[in-house]
């Protein structure tokens, strides 16, 4: 499944857990969406459940991640730069292709191990060029199962559908 990732920066007032003081912070989040409009809508929806009080989406930009490996234990996201050789069929020459990937882990070593496990089925040789801790606070992938369901009980949804289309009985 092809993903289009958008990095959304959200500004809000956060209470410091150690001192109890409030300060303004701007934190980046990653959202899977088909457009900038959907990315903004989704980040608003996600932040409303996470942040008490007002917040502002200050920036949305397309993020260039070719793959994401969220299925591991960890609490931080690491950005991994991976390269492999590709053959340009028109020119008949090899060229180096670099990709940015995200992996969740507790530290750099775990990030490397998780990346290697995630890429274990890759058929071409590759090289890990760098692994750095990402500033991303959280990642919100697209939830295909719940994308088209209305909120509320299934009985309420059925009643609404019958009211809108009485011929469906």
């Amino acid at each position: 499944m092809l993903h289009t990732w958008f990095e959304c920066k959200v500004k809000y007032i956060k209470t410091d857990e150690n001192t109890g003081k409030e300060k303004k912070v701007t934190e980046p989040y990653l959202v899977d969406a088909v457009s900038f409009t959907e990315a903004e809508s989704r980040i608003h929806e996600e932040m409303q459940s996470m942040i008490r009080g007002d917040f502002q989406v200050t920036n949305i930009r397309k993020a260039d991640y070719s793959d994401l490996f969220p299925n591991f234990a960890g609490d931080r996201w690491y950005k991994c730069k991976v390269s492999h050789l590709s053959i340009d069929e028109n020119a008949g020459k090899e060229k180096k292709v670099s990709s940015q990937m995200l992996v969740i882990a507790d530290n750099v070593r775990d990030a490397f191990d998780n990346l290697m496990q995630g890429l274990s089925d890759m058929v071409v040789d590759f090289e890990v060029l760098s692994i750095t801790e990402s500033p991303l606070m959280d990642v919100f992938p697209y939830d295909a199962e719940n994308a088209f369901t209305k909120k509320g009980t299934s009985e309420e949804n059925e009643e609404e559908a019958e009211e809108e289309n009485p011929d469906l009985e």
Side-chain angles (χ1 to χ4, degrees):
M1 183 174 173
L2 184 62
H3 296 276
T4 305
W5 296 103
F6 292 87
E7 185 177 299
C8 303
K9 293 198 177 183
V10 179
K11 181 186 251 182
Y12 66 99
I13 296 173
K14 184 177 191 175
T15 304
D16 189 315
E17 294 173 4
N18 299 329
T19 63
K21 292 184 179 181
E22 292 184 343
K23 64 178 181 175
K24 279 189 179 181
V25 294
T26 302
E27 296 177 334
Y29 295 87
L30 198 65
V31 176
D32 184 14
V34 295
S35 67
F36 285 91
T37 305
E38 183 189 8
E40 183 175 18
S41 173
R42 291 206 50 227
I43 196 65
H44 271 277
E45 186 178 305
E46 296 290 348
M47 292 295 104
Q48 285 175 344
S49 64
M50 293 173 54
I51 297 173
R52 279 186 269 162
D54 292 335
F55 63 90
Q56 179 182 12
V57 178
T58 59
N59 189 22
I60 299 175
R61 70 172 186 83
K62 271 192 175 181
D64 187 27
Y65 295 111
S66 62
D67 217 338
L68 206 84
F69 300 103
N71 302 329
F72 300 102
D75 62 350
R76 286 176 255 159
W77 287 96
Y78 288 86
K79 184 165 49 170
C80 307
K81 188 173 183 178
V82 178
S83 72
H84 68 277
L85 291 178
S86 175
I87 297 175
D88 183 355
E89 292 180 13
N90 295 336
K93 295 182 180 180
E94 288 185 349
K95 72 176 191 178
K96 197 175 195 177
V97 177
S98 293
S99 302
Q100 300 283 337
M101 301 176 187
L102 281 177
V103 64
I104 195 161
D106 288 319
N107 55 52
V108 175
R109 177 170 293 290
D110 289 346
F112 178 79
D113 293 342
N114 294 349
L115 178 67
M116 296 307 281
Q117 186 177 341
L119 294 176
S120 64
D121 60 350
M122 198 164 168
V123 294
V124 297
D125 291 336
F126 60 90
E127 180 182 5
V128 178
L129 301 176
S130 69
I131 298 177
T132 57
E133 188 174 344
S134 165
L136 292 172
M137 300 305 291
D138 208 347
V139 174
F140 303 109
Y142 184 73
D143 182 9
E145 289 181 16
N146 298 320
F148 299 107
T149 59
K150 291 183 178 179
K151 290 188 167 73
T153 66
S154 59
E155 290 176 7
E156 289 173 349
N157 292 340
E158 288 175 17
E159 288 174 10
E160 286 179 25
E162 287 175 10
E163 288 173 8
E164 292 173 6
N165 301 310
D167 299 333
L168 289 179
E169 296 175 7

